[in-house]
Amino acid sequence: MVSMISDLYQQFPLSKTSNDIRLLLVHPADTPDDPLICDLQVASLDDSPEYCAISYTWGEHVFDQYISVSGVQFAVTKHLHSALQIFREDDRPIFWVDQICINQGDVAERSHQVVLMTRIYSQPRMVFVWLGEEIEETGDAFVFLYNLLQLNAPWQILDPSAHSRPWKGLFDILSRSWFSRVWIIQEVAPCDRISLFCGRMQMPFQALQKLLGLLENRWVDSTTFVTAQPEFMKRNMENLRMLFAARSWEKKKIQITNPLRIFNTFRGFEASDSRDKIYSLRGLIDNGAMTPDPDYTLSVETVYQDYARHLLLKDFGFQMLTLAGIARSHLSIPSWCPDWTYRSQMMLLATTTSEMTEFNATRPRKSLETIESLKSRGTLEMQPTFAASSGSEGSIKLTSNSTQISARGALIDTIAHIGRPSSELTGTMHDWWHAWATETLVLIRQFAAGRYSKSPDLNVDALSRLITADDALQIFKGPNVLKGFWSSVQNGSTRIEDFRISHEQLRQVRHAAPDARLPREFEIPQILMTAFCFVVPELVRGRRFCVTKMGFIGLVPDIVKVDDLVSIIFGITAPLILRKAEGRDLYSLVGDAFVLDAMHGEAMRSGQDIVLI
């Protein structure tokens, strides 16, 4: 069988230097159960051939379904087989599909075809998105989506309790593995003509964008839809948000030349081949020289490490360090090299002084316009701005050892005491917040007395500043609002959940005045609920409380240990935690940190060369 497949591809050769691709002609059938009969043909993208591109997941790599391709029995996955059975009913059934049109056994061909992927998915007359087979409620969900596209008052049909079958169908659709694939960004972003398939049900892809928009504003209690769902569905929702952002960039022709912005934005997507976490996104970056040509002969570790060195030489070293560290890594790579397979739970605190200028954030404590903008942007855009290195000129360079780099900075303190990892906090928002705040106050009184614990009010003030990153996001507009709210929660007089605005309340308001904003009495509870149910968990997640030997308090990665070092790398805006190698002046990067009263240059001192491994 292998030799027959090899002979098949030799009949339809592709040049490794041209823009040639193979296309698959799927012949029509008399009945749905007829065997799939197909033929390959070679075409040049330069000639603008007519075809549809298929975006799908391979599913399990079990090739037990057979089709005929130019007279050769060809084994494909069940997922692709099901898709082709539906798509052959199209009036012009000529397709590009990677599983067949690329010789997967030819590494050189595979590498070259990946270079062409942006053109392959930007030129077809249509992209068909295949989500898989339908379930009983899929039809109800697609009718629901169709109504969203048609109705001028869509909130009238957005009560999940009244439409259980459509919502069950939507839950199923949005839980499909297609939404987690990193390749879908390059497959869907460049094309305007996209059709969504689930079994025989078909819908314009834009229906999902309409649904996402409705869930993210006040027309619907989105917590009813999202919070009860499995974590992977929540991730898919976030991925969908990022996917539509990429489509917006393409439509508006926004040029992004910083590859690290792209890689970090889409870090939460998955790839069966981890090298594709880099290769699949190269089409979104304006300057192609910033990304390596695909080479599937190299290991994942080699690809990531070589690319990190390349970025350092291109002056992206400072930003690269903010995304790296053993707290954000699974692989056996240097700690200064980002591991793109790792989906970090921690909010990114550190950025670079050049980024601050680029995004008009030259002043500390950048404001966000409104709570609505905070919610709509999502966690990837919610990043406070600090100036821990106080504008000191930085320097990062390679050393003679390819696994080491040298950075200019200062070692300012040592971790002396640590609290429980956030991963051990369980229960409701109110339960874990109550436990965490109580334990943290005890540690502040025991170990930070000289700096923060002269009175109970100072305890409250320090903790309030800590869990909001010193209100760097300018959400609370003053300490009294924050202090009063969390104090009432802490003493048990109020539960955080009491501040959640119900779907019924929203429905009553909207039906009374469909074009109006929420009444004033909703505004303060909404702000406080957003702050504690969105901002604070994002800051605390993946981090633990700490006290340093000098009495500073902070939030550091969960894996931090006593005797780890607090450093300020010049050119980076937040402290980085380092771990010294035993018996050597070499350090592993752990991750970024928030250290109260050390975020705006207060702890700066003269620098030294710090060698990271």
Side-chain angles (χ1 to χ4, degrees):
M1 176 65 72
V2 174
S3 62
M4 295 177 64
I5 298 299
S6 178
D7 291 343
L8 171 66
Y9 285 119
Q10 288 180 12
Q11 293 179 43
F12 303 94
L14 298 179
S15 169
K16 304 299 192 296
T17 58
S18 72
N19 294 322
D20 288 350
I21 60 172
R22 297 186 188 92
L23 296 175
L24 185 73
L25 170 63
V26 184
H27 295 286
D30 294 328
T31 69
D33 296 327
D34 283 354
L36 281 160
I37 309 297
C38 313
D39 282 299
L40 280 178
Q41 58 190 45
V42 175
S44 172
L45 289 170
D46 297 335
D47 296 331
S48 301
E50 186 175 278
Y51 64 97
C52 290
I54 300 176
S55 177
Y56 70 113
T57 60
W58 283 35
E60 294 184 14
H61 283 222
V62 177
F63 302 88
D64 57 359
Q65 304 294 310
Y66 289 91
I67 66 175
S68 173
V69 179
S70 296
V72 174
Q73 285 293 98
F74 197 105
V76 298
T77 61
K78 182 179 180 180
H79 213 52
L80 177 58
H81 188 270
S82 299
L84 292 177
Q85 282 185 311
I86 300 296
F87 296 159
R88 67 179 168 185
E89 298 174 9
D90 189 74
D91 57 349
R92 289 172 287 178
I94 301 177
F95 303 100
W96 186 91
V97 56
D98 61 346
Q99 200 174 133
I100 300 172
C101 295
I102 297 176
N103 182 357
Q104 299 293 331
D106 186 335
V107 175
E109 178 180 303
R110 182 181 166 199
S111 299
H112 178 65
Q113 289 286 291
V114 166
V115 174
L116 300 177
M117 206 67 75
T118 300
R119 289 191 63 183
I120 290 173
Y121 278 93
S122 62
Q123 292 188 201
R125 66 179 180 86
M126 183 75 71
V127 171
F128 286 173
V129 173
W130 174 252
L131 297 180
E133 297 288 357
E134 60 194 273
I135 64 170
E136 184 178 352
E137 292 81 9
T138 302
D140 298 274
F142 270 65
V143 170
F144 182 95
L145 290 172
Y146 177 79
N147 288 336
L148 290 188
L149 288 175
Q150 302 299 317
L151 292 178
N152 294 320
W155 59 89
Q156 296 175 3
I157 61 168
L158 286 179
D159 182 356
S161 62
H163 297 79
S164 57
R165 284 181 61 87
W167 285 108
K168 183 176 180 180
L170 286 173
F171 294 157
D172 173 72
I173 289 171
L174 293 173
S175 298
R176 302 289 178 112
S177 59
W178 182 86
F179 295 96
S180 68
R181 291 179 60 241
V182 70
W183 274 110
I184 68 173
I185 302 159
Q186 190 160 272
E187 293 170 356
V188 169
C191 186
D192 291 330
R193 304 164 302 280
I194 306 172
S195 197
L196 188 73
F197 287 83
C198 192
R200 295 187 177 277
M201 304 300 298
Q202 183 178 1
M203 177 66 60
F205 190 69
Q206 286 74 10
L208 290 181
Q209 187 168 12
K210 185 74 173 288
L211 174 65
L212 188 65
L214 291 168
L215 291 173
E216 288 186 335
N217 67 27
R218 292 174 173 178
W219 295 117
V220 60
D221 178 14
S222 60
T223 57
T224 304
F225 182 81
V226 176
T227 56
Q229 300 311 306
E231 190 63 32
F232 66 85
M233 179 180 159
K234 298 176 188 177
R235 291 198 299 267
N236 283 354
M237 291 285 287
E238 179 64 25
N239 289 349
L240 189 59
R241 183 180 300 111
M242 294 298 101
L243 179 60
F244 283 118
R247 284 175 56 78
S248 176
W249 300 341
E250 290 290 322
K251 185 176 182 179
K252 297 177 182 177
K253 300 189 182 302
I254 296 175
Q255 296 180 340
I256 299 178
T257 58
N258 184 340
L260 287 171
R261 283 191 65 195
I262 295 291
F263 296 139
N264 192 54
T265 296
F266 299 107
R267 198 171 190 168
F269 287 79
E270 299 172 359
S272 56
D273 187 326
S274 296
R275 292 167 292 194
D276 289 335
K277 295 282 280 189
I278 290 178
Y279 296 157
S280 67
L281 297 172
R282 65 193 314 274
L284 295 181
I285 301 168
D286 183 54
N287 186 348
M290 286 298 180
T291 53
D293 287 335
D295 186 348
Y296 289 97
T297 66
L298 302 176
S299 69
V300 174
E301 291 80 3
T302 299
V303 170
Y304 285 11
Q305 191 170 330
D306 287 352
Y307 191 44
R309 284 196 291 266
H310 172 77
L311 290 172
L312 192 150
L313 293 173
K314 296 290 184 180
D315 296 326
F316 288 103
F318 297 106
Q319 187 183 4
M320 185 178 71
L321 287 187
T322 70
L323 303 174
I326 59 178
R328 291 187 171 97
S329 181
H330 297 301
L331 299 176
S332 297
I333 54 179
S335 66
W336 49 267
C337 174
D339 175 3
W340 303 112
T341 69
Y342 188 79
R343 186 185 183 111
S344 178
Q345 292 186 325
M346 295 188 296
M347 177 190 289
L348 187 64
L349 296 175
T351 182
T352 69
T353 52
S354 61
E355 284 182 291
M356 289 172 64
T357 301
E358 178 184 352
F359 297 112
N360 298 316
T362 55
R363 295 185 301 277
R365 310 182 185 207
K366 183 179 71 172
S367 297
L368 295 178
E369 310 84 69
T370 61
I371 285 295
E372 286 79 5
S373 69
L374 176 65
K375 293 175 69 178
S376 65
R377 290 181 184 187
T379 58
L380 289 173
E381 294 291 340
M382 190 177 69
Q383 183 177 334
T385 303
F386 306 111
S389 60
S390 192
S392 299
E393 185 174 351
S395 171
I396 299 179
K397 55 190 177 182
L398 293 168
T399 69
S400 57
N401 186 324
S402 63
T403 64
Q404 301 176 4
I405 64 173
S406 176
R408 193 71 180 168
L411 304 176
I412 63 169
D413 210 340
T414 304
I415 304 296
H417 307 280
I418 53 178
R420 280 196 300 170
S422 63
S423 58
E424 295 182 6
L425 300 170
T426 58
T428 67
M429 176 87 184
H430 180 275
D431 292 339
W432 76 252
W433 164 249
H434 190 282
W436 187 89
T438 301
E439 293 176 14
T440 301
L441 280 172
V442 170
L443 290 172
I444 291 175
R445 295 186 186 111
Q446 285 182 330
F447 302 116
R451 190 176 296 273
Y452 301 110
S453 293
K454 296 177 182 178
S455 72
D457 284 344
L458 288 178
N459 295 163
V460 171
D461 181 67
L463 187 56
S464 300
R465 294 172 60 203
L466 178 69
I467 54 92
T468 62
D470 213 4
D471 200 12
L473 293 169
Q474 292 284 294
I475 292 168
F476 302 100
K477 309 298 183 185
N480 292 333
V481 173
L482 167 65
K483 194 183 303 183
F485 177 65
W486 90 257
S487 294
S488 68
V489 172
Q490 178 67 11
N491 65 32
S493 62
T494 304
R495 293 185 64 84
I496 290 174
E497 286 77 4
D498 295 339
F499 284 82
R500 190 179 303 282
I501 297 175
S502 72
H503 174 73
E504 178 61 23
Q505 289 173 307
L506 287 172
R507 189 189 66 79
Q508 291 175 359
V509 171
R510 286 307 185 197
H511 278 235
D515 296 324
R517 291 179 56 83
L518 283 175
R520 180 62 186 171
E521 59 265 26
F522 286 103
E523 292 296 334
I524 295 302
Q526 179 73 0
I527 290 173
L528 295 174
M529 182 275 284
T530 300
F532 272 78
C533 296
F534 185 73
V535 179
V536 173
E538 291 298 323
L539 285 166
V540 174
R541 184 178 294 118
R543 300 185 185 275
R544 68 199 312 171
F545 174 78
C546 78
V547 182
T548 71
K549 286 186 176 180
M550 295 176 62
F552 290 98
I553 63 175
L555 294 171
V556 295
D558 273 346
I559 67 168
V560 160
K561 301 177 180 178
V562 171
D563 293 330
D564 283 348
L565 300 170
V566 182
S567 75
I568 293 177
I569 301 299
F570 299 166
I572 295 177
T573 61
L576 301 181
I577 305 299
L578 306 181
R579 184 168 296 162
K580 187 176 182 180
E582 188 173 352
R584 298 184 295 169
D585 288 331
L586 302 174
Y587 303 86
S588 294
L589 171 61
V590 178
D592 58 3
F594 176 83
V595 180
L596 192 62
D597 295 326
M599 303 303 293
H600 301 288
E602 305 96 324
M604 273 295 297
R605 61 183 64 175
S606 59
Q608 66 183 78
D609 290 329
I610 300 173
V611 179
L612 301 177
I613 57 176

